[in-house]
Coordinates of all heavy atoms in Angstrom, one line a residue:
Chain A
Q501 N 35.0 -8.3 0.3 CA 34.4 -8.4 1.7 C 33.3 -9.5 1.6 O 32.6 -9.7 0.6 CB 33.7 -7.1 2.0 CG 33.1 -7.1 3.4 CD 32.5 -5.8 3.8 OE1 32.9 -4.7 3.3 NE2 31.6 -5.8 4.8
C502 N 33.3 -10.3 2.7 CA 32.3 -11.3 2.9 C 31.0 -10.8 3.6 O 31.1 -10.3 4.7 CB 32.8 -12.5 3.6 SG 31.6 -13.8 3.9
Y503 N 29.9 -10.9 2.9 CA 28.6 -10.4 3.5 C 27.8 -11.5 4.2 O 26.6 -11.2 4.5 CB 27.8 -9.6 2.5 CG 28.5 -8.3 2.1 CD1 29.4 -8.3 1.0 CD2 28.4 -7.2 2.9 CE1 30.1 -7.1 0.7 CE2 29.0 -6.0 2.6 CZ 29.9 -6.0 1.5 OH 30.6 -4.8 1.2
A504 N 28.4 -12.6 4.4 CA 27.6 -13.8 4.9 C 26.9 -13.4 6.2 O 25.7 -13.6 6.4 CB 28.5 -15.0 5.1
S505 N 27.7 -12.9 7.2 CA 27.1 -12.7 8.5 C 26.1 -11.5 8.4 O 25.1 -11.4 9.2 CB 28.1 -12.5 9.6 OG 28.7 -11.2 9.5
W506 N 26.3 -10.5 7.6 CA 25.4 -9.4 7.4 C 24.0 -9.9 7.1 O 23.0 -9.5 7.7 CB 25.9 -8.4 6.3 CG 27.1 -7.6 6.5 CD1 28.3 -8.1 7.0 CD2 27.2 -6.2 6.4 NE1 29.2 -7.0 7.0 CE2 28.5 -5.9 6.7 CE3 26.3 -5.2 6.0 CZ2 29.0 -4.6 6.6 CZ3 26.8 -3.9 5.9 CH2 28.1 -3.6 6.2
Y507 N 23.9 -10.7 6.0 CA 22.6 -11.1 5.6 C 22.0 -12.2 6.4 O 20.8 -12.3 6.6 CB 22.7 -11.5 4.1 CG 22.9 -10.2 3.2 CD1 24.0 -10.0 2.5 CD2 21.9 -9.3 3.1 CE1 24.2 -8.9 1.7 CE2 22.0 -8.1 2.3 CZ 23.2 -8.0 1.6 OH 23.3 -6.8 0.8
A508 N 22.9 -13.1 6.9 CA 22.4 -14.2 7.7 C 21.8 -13.7 9.1 O 21.1 -14.4 9.7 CB 23.6 -15.2 8.0
H509 N 22.1 -12.5 9.4 CA 21.6 -11.9 10.6 C 20.1 -11.7 10.6 O 19.5 -11.5 11.7 CB 22.3 -10.5 10.8 CG 22.0 -9.9 12.2 ND1 22.4 -10.4 13.4 CD2 21.4 -8.7 12.5 CE1 22.0 -9.6 14.3 NE2 21.4 -8.6 13.8
L510 N 19.5 -11.6 9.4 CA 18.2 -11.1 9.2 C 17.1 -12.2 9.2 O 17.0 -13.0 8.2 CB 18.1 -10.4 7.9 CG 18.5 -8.9 7.9 CD1 19.0 -8.5 6.6 CD2 17.3 -8.1 8.3
P511 N 16.1 -12.2 10.1 CA 14.9 -13.0 9.9 C 14.2 -12.5 8.7 O 14.1 -11.3 8.5 CB 14.1 -12.8 11.2 CG 14.7 -11.5 11.8 CD 16.1 -11.4 11.4
G512 N 13.6 -13.4 7.9 CA 12.9 -13.0 6.7 C 13.7 -13.2 5.5 O 13.2 -13.2 4.4
L513 N 15.0 -13.5 5.6 CA 15.8 -13.9 4.5 C 16.3 -15.3 4.6 O 16.4 -15.9 5.7 CB 17.1 -13.0 4.4 CG 17.0 -11.6 4.0 CD1 18.4 -11.0 3.9 CD2 16.3 -11.4 2.6
K514 N 16.6 -16.0 3.5 CA 17.4 -17.2 3.5 C 18.7 -16.9 2.8 O 18.7 -16.1 1.9 CB 16.7 -18.3 2.7 CG 15.4 -18.8 3.4 CD 14.7 -19.9 2.6 CE 13.4 -20.4 3.3 NZ 12.8 -21.5 2.5
V515 N 19.8 -17.5 3.3 CA 21.1 -17.1 2.8 C 21.8 -18.4 2.4 O 22.0 -19.3 3.3 CB 21.9 -16.3 3.8 CG1 23.3 -16.0 3.3 CG2 21.2 -15.1 4.3
L516 N 22.2 -18.5 1.2 CA 22.9 -19.7 0.7 C 24.3 -19.4 0.2 O 24.5 -18.3 -0.3 CB 22.0 -20.3 -0.5 CG 20.5 -20.6 -0.2 CD1 19.9 -21.2 -1.4 CD2 20.4 -21.5 1.0
A517 N 25.2 -20.4 0.3 CA 26.5 -20.2 -0.1 C 27.1 -21.5 -0.7 O 27.6 -22.3 0.0 CB 27.4 -19.7 1.1
P518 N 27.0 -21.6 -2.0 CA 27.4 -22.9 -2.6 C 28.9 -23.0 -2.8 O 29.6 -21.9 -2.8 CB 26.8 -22.8 -4.0 CG 26.7 -21.3 -4.3 CD 26.4 -20.7 -3.0
W519 N 29.4 -24.2 -2.8 CA 30.8 -24.4 -3.0 C 31.0 -25.1 -4.4 O 31.6 -24.5 -5.3 CB 31.4 -25.3 -1.9 CG 32.8 -25.8 -2.2 CD1 33.9 -25.1 -2.6 CD2 33.2 -27.2 -2.2 NE1 35.0 -25.9 -2.8 CE2 34.6 -27.2 -2.6 CE3 32.5 -28.4 -2.0 CZ2 35.3 -28.4 -2.7 CZ3 33.2 -29.6 -2.1 CH2 34.6 -29.6 -2.4
S520 N 30.5 -26.3 -4.6 CA 30.7 -27.0 -5.8 C 29.8 -26.7 -6.9 O 28.8 -25.9 -6.7 CB 30.6 -28.5 -5.5 OG 29.2 -28.8 -5.2
A521 N 30.0 -27.2 -8.1 CA 29.0 -27.0 -9.2 C 27.7 -27.6 -8.8 O 26.6 -27.0 -9.2 CB 29.6 -27.7 -10.5
A522 N 27.7 -28.7 -8.2 CA 26.4 -29.3 -7.8 C 25.6 -28.5 -6.8 O 24.4 -28.2 -6.9 CB 26.6 -30.7 -7.2
D523 N 26.4 -27.9 -5.8 CA 25.8 -26.9 -4.9 C 25.1 -25.8 -5.7 O 24.0 -25.4 -5.5 CB 26.8 -26.3 -4.0 CG 27.4 -27.3 -2.9 OD1 26.9 -28.4 -2.8 OD2 28.3 -26.8 -2.2
A524 N 26.0 -25.3 -6.6 CA 25.5 -24.1 -7.3 C 24.3 -24.3 -8.1 O 23.3 -23.6 -8.1 CB 26.7 -23.6 -8.3
K525 N 24.2 -25.4 -8.8 CA 23.1 -25.7 -9.7 C 21.9 -26.1 -8.8 O 20.8 -25.5 -9.0 CB 23.4 -26.9 -10.6 CG 22.3 -27.1 -11.6 CD 22.8 -28.1 -12.7 CE 21.7 -28.3 -13.8 NZ 22.1 -29.2 -14.8
G526 N 22.1 -27.0 -7.9 CA 20.9 -27.5 -7.1 C 20.4 -26.5 -6.2 O 19.1 -26.4 -6.0
L527 N 21.2 -25.7 -5.6 CA 20.7 -24.6 -4.7 C 20.1 -23.5 -5.4 O 19.1 -22.9 -5.0 CB 21.8 -24.2 -3.8 CG 22.3 -25.1 -2.7 CD1 23.6 -24.6 -2.0 CD2 21.3 -25.5 -1.7
L528 N 20.7 -23.1 -6.6 CA 20.1 -21.9 -7.3 C 18.7 -22.3 -7.8 O 17.8 -21.5 -7.8 CB 21.1 -21.5 -8.4 CG 20.6 -20.2 -9.1 CD1 20.4 -19.1 -8.1 CD2 21.7 -19.8 -10.2
R529 N 18.6 -23.5 -8.3 CA 17.2 -23.9 -8.7 C 16.2 -23.8 -7.6 O 15.1 -23.3 -7.7 CB 17.3 -25.3 -9.3 CG 18.1 -25.4 -10.6 CD 17.9 -26.7 -11.3 NE 16.6 -26.8 -11.9 CZ 16.3 -27.8 -12.7 NH1 17.1 -28.8 -12.9 NH2 15.1 -27.9 -13.3
A530 N 16.7 -24.3 -6.4 CA 15.8 -24.3 -5.3 C 15.5 -22.8 -4.8 O 14.4 -22.5 -4.5 CB 16.4 -25.1 -4.1
A531 N 16.5 -22.0 -4.9 CA 16.3 -20.6 -4.6 C 15.3 -19.9 -5.4 O 14.5 -19.2 -5.0 CB 17.7 -19.9 -4.6
I532 N 15.4 -20.2 -6.7 CA 14.5 -19.5 -7.7 C 13.1 -20.0 -7.4 O 12.1 -19.2 -7.6 CB 14.9 -19.8 -9.1 CG1 16.3 -19.1 -9.4 CG2 13.9 -19.2 -10.1 CD1 17.0 -19.5 -10.7
R533 N 12.9 -21.2 -7.1 CA 11.5 -21.7 -6.8 C 11.0 -21.3 -5.4 O 9.8 -21.4 -5.2 CB 11.5 -23.3 -6.9 CG 11.8 -23.8 -8.3 CD 11.7 -25.3 -8.3 NE 12.4 -25.8 -9.5 CZ 12.4 -27.1 -9.7 NH1 11.9 -28.0 -8.9 NH2 13.1 -27.5 -10.8
D534 N 11.9 -20.9 -4.5 CA 11.4 -20.6 -3.2 C 10.6 -19.3 -3.1 O 10.9 -18.4 -3.8 CB 12.7 -20.5 -2.3 CG 12.3 -20.6 -0.8 OD1 11.9 -19.5 -0.2 OD2 12.5 -21.7 -0.2
P535 N 9.5 -19.3 -2.3 CA 8.7 -18.1 -2.3 C 9.2 -17.0 -1.4 O 8.6 -16.0 -1.2 CB 7.4 -18.6 -1.7 CG 7.8 -19.8 -0.9 CD 9.0 -20.4 -1.5
N536 N 10.5 -17.1 -0.9 CA 11.0 -16.1 0.0 C 12.2 -15.4 -0.7 O 12.8 -15.8 -1.6 CB 11.5 -16.8 1.3 CG 10.3 -17.4 2.0 OD1 9.5 -16.7 2.6 ND2 10.3 -18.7 2.0
P537 N 12.6 -14.2 -0.1 CA 13.8 -13.5 -0.6 C 15.0 -14.3 -0.2 O 15.2 -14.7 1.0 CB 13.7 -12.2 0.1 CG 12.8 -12.3 1.2 CD 11.9 -13.5 0.9
I538 N 15.9 -14.5 -1.2 CA 17.1 -15.3 -0.9 C 18.4 -14.6 -1.3 O 18.4 -14.0 -2.4 CB 17.0 -16.6 -1.8 CG1 15.7 -17.4 -1.3 CG2 18.3 -17.4 -1.7 CD1 15.8 -18.8 -1.2
I539 N 19.3 -14.6 -0.5 CA 20.7 -14.1 -0.8 C 21.5 -15.3 -1.2 O 21.6 -16.3 -0.5 CB 21.3 -13.5 0.5 CG1 20.4 -12.3 1.0 CG2 22.7 -13.0 0.2 CD1 20.5 -11.0 0.1
F540 N 22.1 -15.2 -2.4 CA 22.8 -16.4 -2.9 C 24.3 -15.9 -3.2 O 24.6 -15.2 -4.1 CB 22.2 -16.8 -4.3 CG 22.5 -18.1 -4.7 CD1 21.9 -19.3 -4.3 CD2 23.6 -18.3 -5.6 CE1 22.2 -20.5 -4.7 CE2 23.9 -19.6 -6.1 CZ 23.3 -20.7 -5.6
L541 N 25.1 -16.3 -2.2 CA 26.5 -15.8 -2.2 C 27.4 -16.7 -3.0 O 27.7 -17.8 -2.6 CB 27.0 -15.7 -0.8 CG 26.2 -14.8 0.2 CD1 26.6 -15.0 1.6 CD2 26.3 -13.3 -0.2
E542 N 27.9 -16.2 -4.2 CA 28.8 -17.0 -5.0 C 30.2 -16.5 -4.7 O 30.4 -15.7 -3.8 CB 28.4 -16.8 -6.5 CG 27.0 -17.3 -6.8 CD 26.4 -16.6 -8.0 OE1 27.2 -16.0 -8.8 OE2 25.2 -16.8 -8.3
N543 N 31.2 -17.1 -5.4 CA 32.6 -16.7 -5.2 C 33.3 -16.7 -6.5 O 33.3 -17.7 -7.3 CB 33.2 -17.7 -4.3 CG 34.7 -17.3 -4.0 OD1 35.6 -17.5 -4.8 ND2 34.9 -16.8 -2.8
E544 N 33.9 -15.6 -6.8 CA 34.5 -15.4 -8.2 C 35.5 -16.4 -8.5 O 35.7 -16.9 -9.6 CB 35.1 -14.0 -8.2 CG 35.6 -13.7 -9.6 CD 36.4 -12.4 -9.7 OE1 36.2 -11.5 -8.8 OE2 37.3 -12.3 -10.5

Side-chain angles (χ1 to χ4, degrees):
Chain A
Q501 184 175 338
C502 176
Y503 290 94
S505 77
W506 288 53
Y507 288 114
H509 187 63
L510 273 154
L513 286 183
K514 294 183 182 179
V515 182
L516 309 180
W519 167 56
S520 67
D523 288 354
K525 187 170 184 181
L527 290 174
L528 186 52
R529 293 189 74 173
I532 296 167
R533 291 183 201 182
D534 196 278
N536 295 289
I538 300 218
I539 300 286
F540 197 86
L541 301 171
E542 299 160 8
N543 183 287
E544 185 191 331

